[in-house]
Amino acid sequence: MAIGVAEPAQTASLADDFIKFEDSSSESEVESVAETPSTAAGAKRSLADADEVPEHESDPAKFQKCYNGQPVPPWLLGQQRLGKGKAPEIHTMLNEEVTKFVNYISPTPEEHQMRTWVIERMQRILDEWDLPDARPVAFCFGSFETKLYLPTSDIDLTIMIYNPTDDHVSPYYEARDSIRAFLYKLARQLKIKGFCDSCEVIAGARVPIIKTQEKISGIAVDISINADSGMKSAQVQKSFADKVYPNTLRSLVLSIKQFLYQRSMNEVYTGGMGSYAITLLAVSLLQMHPRIKSGGLDPSRNLGVLLIEFFELYGKRFNYDNVCVSVVDNGCYLDKRQKSFYNYTQSYLLAIEDPCDTSNDVTKGTYGINRIKQTFGGAYDMLNNAIFAYHQTRKHGKPINSSLLGQSTPERSSKRIRAKNGKPKDTSLQINSDPWAPVSFLSSILHVDSQTISMRRRLVDIFYKGSMQECLGVEYKPQLVKALDSIPALSGSKSEKIQVDSTQSSAQEKISQMKFDFSKAKAKPIVVESEDENPAYISDDLSSNEEGVL
């Protein structure tokens, strides 16, 4: 079985709808979950009796595990069950959990500032470098520039090499051989100046780059030369995230990026899917969604359901062989053959039209799309299983489907386990009957490993110790004293907390000492003429495919 693909589970009948959309209208009402008759006298109170319990009866701090015995994920630590009321709609709980996860995984102001200083340090090294025939300037693009990055993401930099007297790219450094030679010189310069301990120059790549790690912060940095196309794509992503779908796109993209990152499917050079492609797929879903197009659905109030639909569309229903995704204008589906994106030896490849250059296929290098597609389909199955298991537990006190028992306990076993005293150990399903016990659906597909948590804590520690400030000669001591506690699940560490001078400038102020000007990286708005719309090539027939992939 492919990674991330769950066993098919028994699904609810059409008359037993357990997750719904929330309409745009505030006056719309959804049916509450039906209740079963009361349990027999003396039986343990189940989640189905939640209406009898006053709201906020329980202390959130006492919950160490979710309602089904699973560990509480870090984004829900110290909290009780999400959703308002005694028996909230599941789509509301799911929407709130996506928001909680995004707030948790989003970098803190301290983490963001450390990345900004890494870019400043790079620019200062370039300024001090004596190059008589060139004027190198560092520009940031990629996920850092678009604010769609994970704490584990690297920084993508491109160094534009201008003429000494104007803002035109030096003709000498347009040749590929000259770019390679400059990369080796830059790698030596970075090691001499103490920016890093080692550099890996990948000169044979389609876009030659340097892969390195900044010495103080440990943040990974990828450096290319004269790659201005990355700045244009970053501007497109920022436009969609900030203006078109300001309360929706970022949450979807970060959730999907974390999902792919923890499965090592996020690097294009290993056949994975990059941030730009993920953003365009999420935008296409929002553009082509019939209820969003008609104005009958508020996407910001249905983040969880839209995430599930993303996995369903691209994991089970999308016709990869014939369809090209386009987000130009209001979005459409194009024929891969008409766009000349069809690969006759690899027809299964995903095709996405680049809105910055309509002749470019963004995902032509994502050769591992079959594995990604199967994993998306598995995520759809697992999320539905987790939701249906809770739905059954709330109605009946436990999941009645044997195929869902694995979604409810991490220690399910068909064998009798004996303890040290020789007596059988009870491995039966343990359900917390407290109706306010935490419920997590996303933890069935998402997790944050201890390495990521340690890395984030280390970065915040470095910020408050002032190592980077001392290196750059800047003073930036924000008023936010909660640095080590601002990352959920990181509080209580044994690491030293450093006292911060609260009289210094606030965390939201701009640092006047920084010489790097981000405004230079802004690209002009891109206007692309769209081709004639073609019918959507989405197949509704899933019966002929066992894995749900067309």
Side-chain angles (χ1 to χ4, degrees):
M1 182 185 298
I3 295 177
V5 178
E7 290 285 344
Q10 181 178 342
T11 58
S13 63
L14 294 177
D16 194 17
D17 190 10
F18 59 97
I19 182 168
K20 305 178 179 69
F21 281 114
E22 180 167 335
D23 296 330
S24 296
S25 172
S26 60
E27 298 177 359
S28 61
E29 297 183 357
V30 288
E31 296 179 2
S32 59
V33 177
E35 295 185 4
T36 55
S38 302
T39 53
K44 228 177 182 181
R45 184 178 63 187
S46 70
L47 299 184
D49 304 318
D51 285 341
E52 301 175 5
V53 184
E55 190 171 356
H56 304 299
E57 177 190 80
S58 302
D59 177 16
K62 77 176 184 180
F63 294 119
Q64 301 299 321
K65 292 187 177 182
C66 293
Y67 84 100
N68 56 2
Q70 297 281 11
V72 177
W75 55 90
L76 294 182
L77 279 178
Q79 301 182 51
Q80 61 187 18
R81 189 214 67 210
L82 301 177
K84 296 180 180 180
K86 301 161 188 173
E89 292 293 341
I90 290 181
H91 77 268
T92 302
M93 298 170 61
L94 188 57
N95 189 74
E96 290 187 21
E97 187 177 3
V98 171
T99 302
K100 294 283 186 184
F101 172 78
V102 171
N103 290 339
Y104 171 80
I105 205 68
S106 297
T108 63
E110 294 85 0
E111 292 175 283
H112 185 78
Q113 188 57 52
M114 286 294 293
R115 290 170 177 267
T116 305
W117 278 333
V118 169
I119 301 170
E120 164 67 4
R121 191 179 181 198
M122 170 67 70
Q123 184 58 52
R124 291 191 180 189
I125 292 174
L126 295 176
D127 290 342
E128 295 168 0
W129 195 5
D130 185 16
L131 294 173
D133 60 339
R135 181 171 57 88
V137 181
F139 292 104
C140 184
F141 66 98
S143 57
F144 179 81
E145 176 66 8
T146 61
K147 306 295 189 297
L148 295 173
Y149 66 96
L150 298 172
T152 54
S153 299
D154 53 17
I155 297 177
D156 294 312
L157 292 178
T158 185
I159 297 178
M160 303 299 295
I161 307 178
Y162 297 121
N163 292 321
T165 57
D166 56 42
D167 289 337
H168 294 91
V169 176
S170 173
Y172 176 76
Y173 291 100
E174 291 180 350
R176 190 177 181 87
D177 291 341
S178 300
I179 290 176
R180 290 175 178 172
F182 183 85
L183 284 176
Y184 285 108
K185 291 180 182 178
L186 177 60
R188 287 194 295 270
Q189 186 71 6
L190 293 178
K191 287 187 284 188
I192 291 172
K193 292 295 184 179
F195 181 88
C196 58
D197 290 327
S198 62
C199 290
E200 179 186 3
V201 180
I202 307 178
R206 184 173 61 90
V207 178
I209 62 171
I210 293 176
K211 295 185 76 69
T212 187
Q213 198 173 47
E214 200 274 329
K215 192 172 183 179
I216 297 176
S217 65
I219 296 174
V221 183
D222 289 355
I223 307 169
S224 58
I225 305 298
N226 293 338
D228 58 348
S229 60
M231 291 187 287
K232 295 178 181 179
S233 63
Q235 200 65 21
V236 170
Q237 294 179 78
K238 287 183 67 175
S239 178
F240 278 120
D242 297 341
K243 298 178 182 179
V244 185
Y245 303 107
N247 301 316
T248 307
L249 185 60
R250 186 172 184 272
S251 297
L252 291 177
V253 171
L254 288 181
S255 301
I256 299 163
K257 286 187 69 172
Q258 177 65 20
F259 174 81
L260 291 177
Y261 163 75
Q262 66 192 42
R263 291 161 175 80
S264 301
M265 298 181 180
N266 62 320
E267 295 290 352
V268 177
Y269 67 89
T270 60
M273 185 175 294
S275 178
Y276 190 31
I278 294 172
T279 303
L280 295 180
L281 285 182
V283 169
S284 178
L285 171 72
L286 297 173
Q287 287 178 332
M288 304 302 291
H289 198 291
R291 293 189 64 183
I292 296 177
K293 291 172 71 174
S294 65
L297 180 69
D298 183 356
S300 64
R301 296 166 63 185
N302 293 277
L303 297 173
V305 180
L306 289 172
L307 180 63
I308 293 176
E309 289 200 328
F310 178 94
F311 290 132
E312 179 186 19
L313 174 61
Y314 298 113
K316 291 180 174 290
R317 294 189 176 274
F318 193 75
N319 188 343
Y320 288 80
D321 287 346
N322 299 309
V323 177
C324 168
V325 173
S326 174
V327 300
V328 176
D329 292 336
N330 294 321
C332 63
Y333 295 119
L334 305 174
D335 191 326
K336 287 171 69 172
R337 291 175 176 82
Q338 293 182 5
K339 285 293 300 179
S340 300
F341 289 168
Y342 190 82
N343 187 325
Y344 286 90
T345 59
Q346 296 174 303
S347 61
Y348 57 85
L349 291 179
L350 173 64
I352 304 177
E353 179 188 62
D354 190 346
C356 302
D357 177 8
T358 56
S359 64
N360 178 44
D361 180 3
V362 174
T363 50
K364 59 179 176 290
T366 307
Y367 56 82
I369 189 61
N370 266 343
R371 186 164 170 251
I372 295 174
K373 178 172 54 177
Q374 291 172 346
T375 308
F376 282 167
Y380 171 77
D381 291 334
M382 288 188 286
L383 277 172
N384 273 281
N385 285 351
I387 293 170
F388 192 36
Y390 176 68
H391 172 68
Q392 289 188 328
T393 303
R394 190 159 69 174
K395 290 183 66 176
H396 308 293
K398 67 177 182 179
I400 60 176
N401 297 61
S402 59
S403 60
L404 298 179
L405 291 178
Q407 296 287 330
S408 301
T409 176
E411 299 179 352
R412 177 174 173 262
S413 174
S414 58
K415 297 182 179 179
R416 293 170 63 88
I417 303 176
R418 294 188 176 274
K420 292 182 179 179
N421 58 8
K423 295 182 179 180
K425 186 177 179 180
D426 183 15
T427 59
S428 60
L429 183 65
Q430 299 294 327
I431 296 292
N432 189 340
S433 61
D434 190 330
W436 297 104
V439 178
S440 175
F441 304 124
L442 290 184
S443 59
S444 63
I445 63 167
L446 296 177
H447 73 271
V448 180
D449 56 30
S450 58
Q451 183 178 1
T452 300
I453 294 175
S454 300
M455 183 202 70
R456 298 185 71 181
R457 175 168 287 282
R458 175 182 174 276
L459 202 60
V460 173
D461 282 343
I462 293 172
F463 177 91
Y464 277 91
K465 288 177 182 176
S467 303
M468 187 68 83
Q469 294 93 313
E470 182 179 353
C471 175
L472 294 176
V474 298
E475 288 188 5
Y476 184 58
K477 298 180 179 180
Q479 221 165 1
L480 303 176
V481 190
K482 283 185 164 183
L484 297 178
D485 297 329
S486 60
I487 305 176
L490 302 190
S491 57
S493 170
K494 296 181 180 179
S495 61
E496 178 184 3
K497 294 188 180 182
I498 290 127
Q499 295 296 326
V500 180
D501 184 2
S502 60
T503 62
Q504 297 294 330
S505 58
S506 142
Q508 305 302 324
E509 291 181 348
K510 184 177 179 181
I511 305 172
S512 59
Q513 294 92 337
M514 293 182 62
K515 296 191 293 183
F516 186 76
D517 184 9
F518 280 99
S519 62
K520 295 179 182 177
K522 292 183 178 179
K524 295 181 180 180
I526 301 162
V527 180
V528 182
E529 295 296 332
S530 173
E531 297 189 0
D532 294 337
E533 284 194 14
N534 289 310
Y537 290 86
I538 302 292
S539 174
D540 291 324
D541 182 14
L542 304 180
S543 59
S544 60
N545 194 316
E546 294 181 357
E547 295 181 349
V549 180
L550 297 180

